Amino acid sequence: MLDIVKLLIKAGAGGDGRVSFRREKFVPKGGPDGGHGGDGGSVFIRAKTGLTTLGEYMGKKEIVARAGQMGGKRQRTGAQAESITMEVPIGTTVWLLAQNQPQPARKYQVIKAGEPYEAAEPSQWLDANGELLEDVNEVLFQPLKNTNVRDIPKRELVRLTEDGQTIELVHGGKGGRGNESFKGPALTTPFIAEYGVEGEAKCVILELKLLADVGLVGLPNAGKSTLLSVLTKARPKIAEYPFTTLEPHLGVLRLGQQDEVRELVLADIPGLIEGASQGKGLGLEFLRHVENCRTLLMVLYVPDTFLTDPDGAAAAVWEQYQTVSRELAEYSPELAEKRRFLILNKTDLYQKTVLDSVVSLFKHKGETLMPLSGATQQGLDELKVVLSQP
């Protein structure tokens, strides 16, 4: 699942104004008639239902809109460039790393029409805090691979949470004025026009965080995918070995009947390991998707080595709970405060003494643990009642 990309977004520059003079038979001194340049194209971003990854931007380094056309003779304005609209999944956040500071409109002078004396100066670049960047290439072209995105200096531009939500990322440059605009009593033959203004440019990170009501979290092989498949119509990969889920999966749980049906979006998040908050294992690839979940369903289980050891099983499951809780808190304090329910999965494999020992330890620690089995669907009705609570 491609859920994070880095892009250079460039709006088109405005077209230059034209220097020209009316030349027609029987009109020896027709005067200036250079038209204005057309405006450059802008770049918009829009959230769209049905998209689940940022795969459309895989391998791309930049999105560039076209420049406006130069002004024409006979006071004709150059064509305005078309804008670009980028479509991304709902739940995409746009982070600003750097942006340019286009120079204001500058005049140029020509000896012969269409031959300016000098080129327009390039714009300056500012970082996410508005400070001048000395080495812009280090920001623009530094790859994201093996980089903790949370440590990159950045600023949130927008979080797209609704279908059709659209914003303008960069604005196209304004076209320059042609020499017809500079004529006057003191300057009847102006060889002066304006450059088109450079379009805005921004270096951004697009980060997708799935929007879900309930996120299933836990260690690898806890049975989260099985649980999602029996609660919803989702069909994630299921196997009897860890790390079968390598990307998040969504499913819809329907609660109630007829006119009182309520839908909850469930997300099966890839299993984490100790140190995930520091990038180990699937690490940050997993944790960013938990941030937008309203409720966490922590799925625990008894390891095979403790299936006949009541005390060892209770201690092992409690350690699982501590590990998952610690990784959530270290990644983000807000995650530790989210509403959560604790599930003991795979109860069809446990002896009664083992099950009672685990439940009793959690009760002693002040935590409520719900036993159920995704494989046999025992306890699912009770879980649905809990999840239906506002």
Side-chain angles (χ1 to χ4, degrees):
M1 177 180 182
L2 186 64
D3 55 8
I4 186 164
V5 295
K6 180 179 178 181
L7 293 169
L8 179 60
I9 312 294
K10 291 182 179 180
D16 295 338
R18 169 79 69 170
V19 174
S20 72
F21 295 89
R22 184 180 177 188
R23 293 290 185 268
E24 296 181 24
K25 191 176 183 180
F26 307 120
V27 186
K29 295 182 180 180
D33 70 347
H36 306 326
D39 294 340
S42 301
V43 180
F44 296 82
I45 189 168
R46 178 171 62 211
K48 182 179 179 181
T49 300
L51 298 179
T52 57
T53 77
L54 298 171
E56 181 179 348
Y57 307 103
M58 179 182 295
K60 293 184 178 180
K61 294 184 178 180
E62 59 183 23
I63 305 293
V64 182
R66 292 182 178 274
Q69 291 188 0
M70 189 176 190
K73 299 178 179 180
R74 300 181 183 178
Q75 301 181 26
R76 288 179 297 186
T77 300
Q80 180 173 335
E82 292 186 2
S83 295
I84 294 175
T85 299
M86 304 168 55
E87 293 185 334
V88 296
I90 297 174
T92 299
T93 301
V94 183
W95 298 97
L96 174 67
L97 301 183
Q99 61 184 338
N100 72 342
Q101 191 175 40
Q103 300 293 327
R106 293 177 61 247
K107 297 178 184 178
Y108 70 85
Q109 187 172 8
V110 301
I111 297 176
K112 293 177 63 177
E115 296 182 3
Y117 277 143
E118 57 183 352
E121 296 180 359
S123 60
Q124 296 178 325
W125 280 80
L126 309 177
D127 64 16
N129 297 318
E131 301 293 332
L132 186 63
L133 271 174
E134 295 182 1
D135 186 3
V136 64
N137 291 331
E138 184 177 344
V139 176
L140 298 186
F141 303 112
Q142 181 182 5
L144 286 178
K145 190 175 182 180
N146 299 325
T147 301
N148 189 339
V149 177
R150 299 175 67 210
D151 296 336
I152 298 177
K154 59 188 183 298
R155 174 166 60 88
E156 182 177 316
L157 285 181
V158 64
R159 186 171 299 180
L160 301 167
T161 58
E162 299 178 1
D163 181 40
Q165 183 180 354
T166 305
I167 70 156
E168 185 181 62
L169 284 182
V170 288
H171 188 70
K174 185 175 178 58
R177 293 179 293 172
N179 70 330
E180 190 272 338
S181 297
F182 296 94
K183 69 180 180 180
L187 189 62
T188 58
T189 56
F191 281 80
I192 299 172
E194 278 182 340
Y195 292 110
V197 177
E198 184 181 6
E200 292 181 335
K202 293 177 181 176
C203 183
V204 300
I205 288 177
L206 305 183
E207 183 181 21
L208 173 60
K209 299 176 182 178
L210 294 178
L211 294 177
D213 298 294
V214 181
L216 278 62
V217 299
L219 297 185
N221 209 33
K224 300 182 296 298
S225 297
T226 299
L227 195 56
L228 180 72
S229 69
V230 297
L231 288 172
T232 72
K233 293 184 179 180
R235 292 296 177 263
K237 181 179 180 180
I238 300 173
E240 295 182 357
Y241 54 86
F243 297 111
T244 55
T245 303
L246 299 178
E247 60 185 45
H249 293 280
L250 294 177
V252 178
L253 170 62
R254 289 177 171 81
L255 301 171
Q257 296 179 350
Q258 297 179 353
D259 296 337
E260 298 182 357
V261 173
R262 179 187 174 200
E263 293 185 345
L264 292 179
V265 178
L266 274 60
D268 170 21
I269 309 295
L272 57 83
I273 61 173
E274 188 170 3
S277 60
Q278 305 303 318
K280 292 184 179 180
L282 295 173
L284 305 175
E285 310 300 323
F286 147 76
L287 287 166
R288 72 166 60 95
H289 294 288
V290 183
E291 290 186 284
N292 284 342
C293 296
R294 298 184 179 91
T295 301
L296 300 182
L297 196 61
M298 194 175 295
V299 184
L300 308 171
Y301 74 106
V302 175
D304 293 344
T305 53
F306 297 103
L307 289 179
T308 58
D309 181 359
D311 294 336
V317 176
W318 180 256
E319 179 59 28
Q320 278 184 45
Y321 169 61
Q322 294 292 93
T323 297
V324 176
S325 299
R326 183 168 55 249
E327 295 304 323
L328 293 175
E330 289 182 358
Y331 178 79
S332 170
E334 289 77 12
L335 287 182
E337 301 299 322
K338 285 184 180 287
R339 183 175 74 158
R340 65 178 62 178
F341 299 109
L342 308 184
I343 303 299
L344 180 63
N345 196 17
K346 304 184 180 183
T347 54
D348 55 301
L349 303 178
Y350 313 147
Q351 298 177 359
K352 186 177 185 304
T353 54
V354 170
L355 179 59
D356 292 344
S357 178
V358 176
V359 174
S360 177
L361 175 62
F362 273 75
K363 184 177 180 180
H364 178 72
K365 298 283 189 177
E367 299 286 353
T368 301
L369 188 63
M370 296 181 57
L372 59 80
S373 171
T376 65
Q377 302 188 23
Q378 181 181 0
L380 289 190
D381 291 338
E382 291 81 355
L383 175 60
K384 291 178 181 180
V385 172
V386 171
L387 293 179
S388 65
Q389 299 174 2

